[in-house]
Amino acid sequence: MSNKTLNYYNQHAQDFNDSTLNIDMSSLYGEFLPLIEPYGHILDAGCGSARDAIYFKQQGFRVSAFDASEKLASIASRNLNQVVEVSTFQTMNSQNQYDGIWCCASLLHVPKIDLPLAFLNLQNAMTNKGVLYVSFKYGDLEREQNGRIFTDLNEAMLENLIARLVELKIVKQWQSVDQRPDRKTEIWLNALIRKETEN
């Protein structure tokens, strides 16, 4: 995450929490959670308000979470009633730890040049047969909007990224509209990606 984007989230952490905490994400949960073993360990990576981690915890999953923004991680810790780490996709170094990793509107702040490393770290952090959910704003640009830097992806760009990683296979890709009432014109690329090791 760029310093500009990080500064944005630290300066607007409470507003961001208030505007995202109660969005209905049930359609996306319905795609992801059936692929995770019951009571499995899910990482909410770039968790923001921890809205999704809260839901996963309520469903009986073990949950960990991190966010790059210190201010958001502090708010998320209170919301989730457990510690939310301050970390980034580029620095995560877990090995074979998570049955599922949820990256909802978070990888889109990783610079395009760093996405291969981010996906490698995510691959390494998952157990065999683990499932990764990712979402990006639909497009093919790196751009700045409202004080934040975004990396947009389309299906072909995501396929090219995942093709570099021998243990990751795309299960499904689909497009969806933003769930916020004032953002209905924004299109998202969603994907489910499974880790499959040789042994």
Side-chain angles (χ1 to χ4, degrees), residues 21-38:
L21 186 59
N22 296 311
I23 297 172
D24 180 6
M25 305 297 285
S26 55
S27 63
L28 296 178
Y29 301 152
E31 297 280 356
F32 175 68
L33 290 181
L35 303 178
I36 310 301
E37 65 176 60

mmCIF file of all heavy atoms in Angstrom, residues 21-38:
data_model
loop_
_atom_site.group_PDB
_atom_site.id
_atom_site.type_symbol
_atom_site.label_atom_id
_atom_site.label_comp_id
_atom_site.label_asym_id
_atom_site.label_seq_id
_atom_site.Cartn_x
_atom_site.Cartn_y
_atom_site.Cartn_z
ATOM 1 N N LEU A 21 -19.219 -1.029 7.740
ATOM 2 C CA LEU A 21 -19.433 -2.072 8.753
ATOM 3 C C LEU A 21 -20.722 -2.850 8.533
ATOM 4 O O LEU A 21 -20.783 -4.053 8.796
ATOM 5 C CB LEU A 21 -19.422 -1.445 10.148
ATOM 6 C CG LEU A 21 -19.478 -2.401 11.342
ATOM 7 C CD1 LEU A 21 -18.294 -3.376 11.332
ATOM 8 C CD2 LEU A 21 -19.491 -1.613 12.650
ATOM 9 N N ASN A 22 -21.767 -2.203 8.025
ATOM 10 C CA ASN A 22 -23.077 -2.852 7.938
ATOM 11 C C ASN A 22 -23.508 -3.196 6.511
ATOM 12 O O ASN A 22 -24.688 -3.475 6.274
ATOM 13 C CB ASN A 22 -24.127 -1.961 8.605
ATOM 14 C CG ASN A 22 -23.866 -1.800 10.096
ATOM 15 O OD1 ASN A 22 -23.648 -2.777 10.801
ATOM 16 N ND2 ASN A 22 -23.848 -0.559 10.562
ATOM 17 N N ILE A 23 -22.571 -3.217 5.564
ATOM 18 C CA ILE A 23 -22.910 -3.606 4.194
ATOM 19 C C ILE A 23 -23.224 -5.101 4.157
ATOM 20 O O ILE A 23 -22.518 -5.917 4.764
ATOM 21 C CB ILE A 23 -21.740 -3.277 3.236
ATOM 22 C CG1 ILE A 23 -21.498 -1.770 3.193
ATOM 23 C CG2 ILE A 23 -22.034 -3.806 1.828
ATOM 24 C CD1 ILE A 23 -20.254 -1.378 2.426
ATOM 25 N N ASP A 24 -24.267 -5.464 3.433
ATOM 26 C CA ASP A 24 -24.681 -6.867 3.319
ATOM 27 C C ASP A 24 -23.784 -7.585 2.304
ATOM 28 O O ASP A 24 -23.851 -7.328 1.104
ATOM 29 C CB ASP A 24 -26.140 -6.936 2.867
ATOM 30 C CG ASP A 24 -26.650 -8.367 2.723
ATOM 31 O OD1 ASP A 24 -25.908 -9.308 3.088
ATOM 32 O OD2 ASP A 24 -27.775 -8.546 2.237
ATOM 33 N N MET A 25 -22.949 -8.487 2.796
ATOM 34 C CA MET A 25 -22.018 -9.228 1.942
ATOM 35 C C MET A 25 -22.421 -10.698 1.809
ATOM 36 O O MET A 25 -21.623 -11.541 1.412
ATOM 37 C CB MET A 25 -20.606 -9.140 2.527
ATOM 38 C CG MET A 25 -20.115 -7.727 2.746
ATOM 39 S SD MET A 25 -19.962 -6.796 1.204
ATOM 40 C CE MET A 25 -18.469 -7.525 0.546
ATOM 41 N N SER A 26 -23.675 -11.012 2.121
ATOM 42 C CA SER A 26 -24.099 -12.413 2.220
ATOM 43 C C SER A 26 -23.918 -13.185 0.916
ATOM 44 O O SER A 26 -23.610 -14.383 0.934
ATOM 45 C CB SER A 26 -25.550 -12.500 2.697
ATOM 46 O OG SER A 26 -26.400 -11.744 1.862
ATOM 47 N N SER A 27 -24.091 -12.520 -0.229
ATOM 48 C CA SER A 27 -23.936 -13.242 -1.493
ATOM 49 C C SER A 27 -22.496 -13.716 -1.686
ATOM 50 O O SER A 27 -22.263 -14.799 -2.222
ATOM 51 C CB SER A 27 -24.371 -12.363 -2.667
ATOM 52 O OG SER A 27 -23.544 -11.220 -2.778
ATOM 53 N N LEU A 28 -21.537 -12.914 -1.234
ATOM 54 C CA LEU A 28 -20.129 -13.317 -1.344
ATOM 55 C C LEU A 28 -19.781 -14.372 -0.301
ATOM 56 O O LEU A 28 -19.038 -15.319 -0.590
ATOM 57 C CB LEU A 28 -19.226 -12.102 -1.201
ATOM 58 C CG LEU A 28 -19.372 -11.047 -2.298
ATOM 59 C CD1 LEU A 28 -18.458 -9.860 -2.026
ATOM 60 C CD2 LEU A 28 -19.079 -11.636 -3.667
ATOM 61 N N TYR A 29 -20.307 -14.232 0.907
ATOM 62 C CA TYR A 29 -20.092 -15.280 1.917
ATOM 63 C C TYR A 29 -20.599 -16.624 1.400
ATOM 64 O O TYR A 29 -19.989 -17.668 1.649
ATOM 65 C CB TYR A 29 -20.824 -14.950 3.220
ATOM 66 C CG TYR A 29 -20.445 -13.661 3.895
ATOM 67 C CD1 TYR A 29 -21.371 -12.986 4.702
ATOM 68 C CD2 TYR A 29 -19.184 -13.104 3.757
ATOM 69 C CE1 TYR A 29 -21.051 -11.808 5.345
ATOM 70 C CE2 TYR A 29 -18.854 -11.915 4.402
ATOM 71 C CZ TYR A 29 -19.798 -11.267 5.191
ATOM 72 O OH TYR A 29 -19.482 -10.103 5.833
ATOM 73 N N GLY A 30 -21.727 -16.591 0.677
ATOM 74 C CA GLY A 30 -22.327 -17.820 0.166
ATOM 75 C C GLY A 30 -21.476 -18.521 -0.875
ATOM 76 O O GLY A 30 -21.611 -19.734 -1.083
ATOM 77 N N GLU A 31 -20.602 -17.777 -1.541
ATOM 78 C CA GLU A 31 -19.665 -18.378 -2.494
ATOM 79 C C GLU A 31 -18.455 -18.976 -1.779
ATOM 80 O O GLU A 31 -17.944 -20.033 -2.164
ATOM 81 C CB GLU A 31 -19.189 -17.324 -3.501
ATOM 82 C CG GLU A 31 -20.278 -16.737 -4.376
ATOM 83 C CD GLU A 31 -20.652 -17.637 -5.544
ATOM 84 O OE1 GLU A 31 -20.012 -18.690 -5.718
ATOM 85 O OE2 GLU A 31 -21.593 -17.281 -6.283
ATOM 86 N N PHE A 32 -17.976 -18.287 -0.758
ATOM 87 C CA PHE A 32 -16.696 -18.615 -0.111
ATOM 88 C C PHE A 32 -16.817 -19.665 0.994
ATOM 89 O O PHE A 32 -16.097 -20.674 0.997
ATOM 90 C CB PHE A 32 -16.112 -17.316 0.456
ATOM 91 C CG PHE A 32 -14.847 -17.443 1.256
ATOM 92 C CD1 PHE A 32 -13.655 -17.802 0.656
ATOM 93 C CD2 PHE A 32 -14.848 -17.151 2.625
ATOM 94 C CE1 PHE A 32 -12.475 -17.886 1.397
ATOM 95 C CE2 PHE A 32 -13.688 -17.229 3.373
ATOM 96 C CZ PHE A 32 -12.502 -17.598 2.755
ATOM 97 N N LEU A 33 -17.728 -19.450 1.934
ATOM 98 C CA LEU A 33 -17.744 -20.275 3.147
ATOM 99 C C LEU A 33 -18.037 -21.753 2.898
ATOM 100 O O LEU A 33 -17.466 -22.606 3.598
ATOM 101 C CB LEU A 33 -18.737 -19.698 4.164
ATOM 102 C CG LEU A 33 -18.310 -18.366 4.792
ATOM 103 C CD1 LEU A 33 -19.344 -17.895 5.800
ATOM 104 C CD2 LEU A 33 -16.932 -18.465 5.446
ATOM 105 N N PRO A 34 -18.876 -22.140 1.915
ATOM 106 C CA PRO A 34 -19.085 -23.570 1.687
ATOM 107 C C PRO A 34 -17.814 -24.317 1.272
ATOM 108 O O PRO A 34 -17.758 -25.546 1.371
ATOM 109 C CB PRO A 34 -20.129 -23.602 0.560
ATOM 110 C CG PRO A 34 -20.872 -22.320 0.703
ATOM 111 C CD PRO A 34 -19.820 -21.325 1.108
ATOM 112 N N LEU A 35 -16.795 -23.584 0.830
ATOM 113 C CA LEU A 35 -15.545 -24.213 0.413
ATOM 114 C C LEU A 35 -14.547 -24.358 1.551
ATOM 115 O O LEU A 35 -13.481 -24.963 1.376
ATOM 116 C CB LEU A 35 -14.905 -23.400 -0.724
ATOM 117 C CG LEU A 35 -15.775 -23.187 -1.973
ATOM 118 C CD1 LEU A 35 -15.030 -22.341 -2.990
ATOM 119 C CD2 LEU A 35 -16.198 -24.524 -2.578
ATOM 120 N N ILE A 36 -14.875 -23.807 2.707
ATOM 121 C CA ILE A 36 -13.980 -23.863 3.871
ATOM 122 C C ILE A 36 -14.474 -24.943 4.823
ATOM 123 O O ILE A 36 -15.664 -25.027 5.112
ATOM 124 C CB ILE A 36 -13.947 -22.508 4.608
ATOM 125 C CG1 ILE A 36 -13.692 -21.357 3.630
ATOM 126 C CG2 ILE A 36 -12.896 -22.531 5.713
ATOM 127 C CD1 ILE A 36 -12.408 -21.441 2.862
ATOM 128 N N GLU A 37 -13.550 -25.747 5.331
ATOM 129 C CA GLU A 37 -13.955 -26.828 6.223
ATOM 130 C C GLU A 37 -14.578 -26.248 7.497
ATOM 131 O O GLU A 37 -14.184 -25.172 7.969
ATOM 132 C CB GLU A 37 -12.767 -27.715 6.581
ATOM 133 C CG GLU A 37 -11.674 -27.049 7.373
ATOM 134 C CD GLU A 37 -10.584 -28.035 7.770
ATOM 135 O OE1 GLU A 37 -9.969 -28.640 6.878
ATOM 136 O OE2 GLU A 37 -10.360 -28.184 8.988
ATOM 137 N N PRO A 38 -15.583 -26.927 8.059
ATOM 138 C CA PRO A 38 -16.234 -26.429 9.278
ATOM 139 C C PRO A 38 -15.207 -26.156 10.380
ATOM 140 O O PRO A 38 -14.275 -26.942 10.578
ATOM 141 C CB PRO A 38 -17.170 -27.572 9.666
ATOM 142 C CG PRO A 38 -17.454 -28.276 8.376
ATOM 143 C CD PRO A 38 -16.186 -28.188 7.577
#
